[in-house]
Amino acid sequence: MARTGLGEALMNWRAAVTPSDVGLPGNGARRTPGLRREELAQLAGISADYLTRLEQGRAANPSAQVVEALARTLQLTTDERSHLYQLAGLATPTPDRIPRSISPGVQRMLDRLNDTPVAVFDAMLTELHANALYVELMGERTGNERNAAWRNFLGTAGRIRQTPESLGLLQQLQVADLRRTAARYPHDPNLHALIDELRRRSTRFGHLWESGAVAEHQATRKTIDHPRAGAITLDCDVLQVAGDDLRIMVYTAQPNSEDATKLTHLTTVHT
């Protein structure tokens, strides 16, 4: 079967990444170097069948989200990432667009936090990456629900327990975040589309946007109602990645607490 330039490049890059590079066990000797298709697909959040079709030239025109996830998982350099976008027939994101890439150094750090729920969000509050324990804790989010602002103004209630007061403060913080982001990226069409939809469909968002509400991230404690483990109360910290305009959300439990035991159990169950 004739392979495409995209397929050949993906195979070569996959062969150059070892399991230990992405926080996976080596599992003994391998017939071929690098990651297996199933491993790359799982880490990038796509199906193994779709990755196979991309590599074999039976699928074309992957979305920018898929390309970015593959570039991140394969730990591509800036030039390699640009080349991957070109092979996929997509324009490489420019500086006036919100960054959606996770640097190899940050990705290596994330790969080593398997026992900690961690998620990464871009400057418009869209989830770019969530490790397996975060997904187990919060549930999988797809489509518009991957954007935290869209979810909290227009979407369905998640597992985090909220009071009217805590939800109101969170919404104020998210509006302030989006206003600062709009000032930094005034020409990003995806950001404009999100803000326009929220203003059009949410009276609450429109009021906060017009009022000029301001807020800053603070360390908080959140209670998550897990469908099997029950209520788990965790500390939530948001870390900023200098230069990449990313937010890393980290959940931790107080040592030797019942919540720590529950979190460890979730880790064990997932493993």
Side-chain angles (χ1 to χ4, degrees), residues 149 153 175 178 195 198-199 202-210:
F153 283 98
V175 171
L178 289 178
I195 293 172
L198 291 174
R199 294 181 70 182
S202 171
T203 302
R204 168 71 173 165
F205 183 92
H207 171 72
L208 289 172
W209 185 266
E210 297 299 332

Side-chain angles (χ1 to χ4, degrees), residues 101-103 105-106 109-110 120-121 238-248:
S101 62
I102 298 176
S103 69
V106 172
M109 178 189 70
L110 297 173
V120 182
F121 296 81
V238 178
L239 313 177
Q240 299 282 116
V241 180
D244 289 344
D245 217 350
L246 301 176
R247 292 124 176 87
I248 301 179

Side-chain angles (χ1 to χ4, degrees), residues 204-260:
R204 168 71 173 165
F205 183 92
H207 171 72
L208 289 172
W209 185 266
E210 297 299 332
S211 69
V214 295
E216 295 290 342
H217 285 283
Q218 303 290 334
T220 58
R221 302 202 77 204
K222 296 184 180 181
T223 298
I224 297 95
D225 290 314
H226 191 273
R228 293 185 301 279
I232 308 176
T233 300
L234 303 172
D235 292 318
C236 175
D237 292 277
V238 178
L239 313 177
Q240 299 282 116
V241 180
D244 289 344
D245 217 350
L246 301 176
R247 292 124 176 87
I248 301 179
M249 186 171 290
V250 183
Y251 285 89
T252 55
Q254 290 187 348
N256 304 316
S257 65
E258 181 182 355
D259 298 303

Side-chain angles (χ1 to χ4, degrees), residues 11-28:
M11 291 184 64
N12 291 336
W13 282 321
R14 178 164 61 83
V17 179
T18 66
S20 62
D21 289 336
V22 292
L24 294 177
N27 292 330

Side-chain angles (χ1 to χ4, degrees), residues 35 98 117 122 190:
L35 295 178
I98 292 174
D122 66 13
N190 293 325

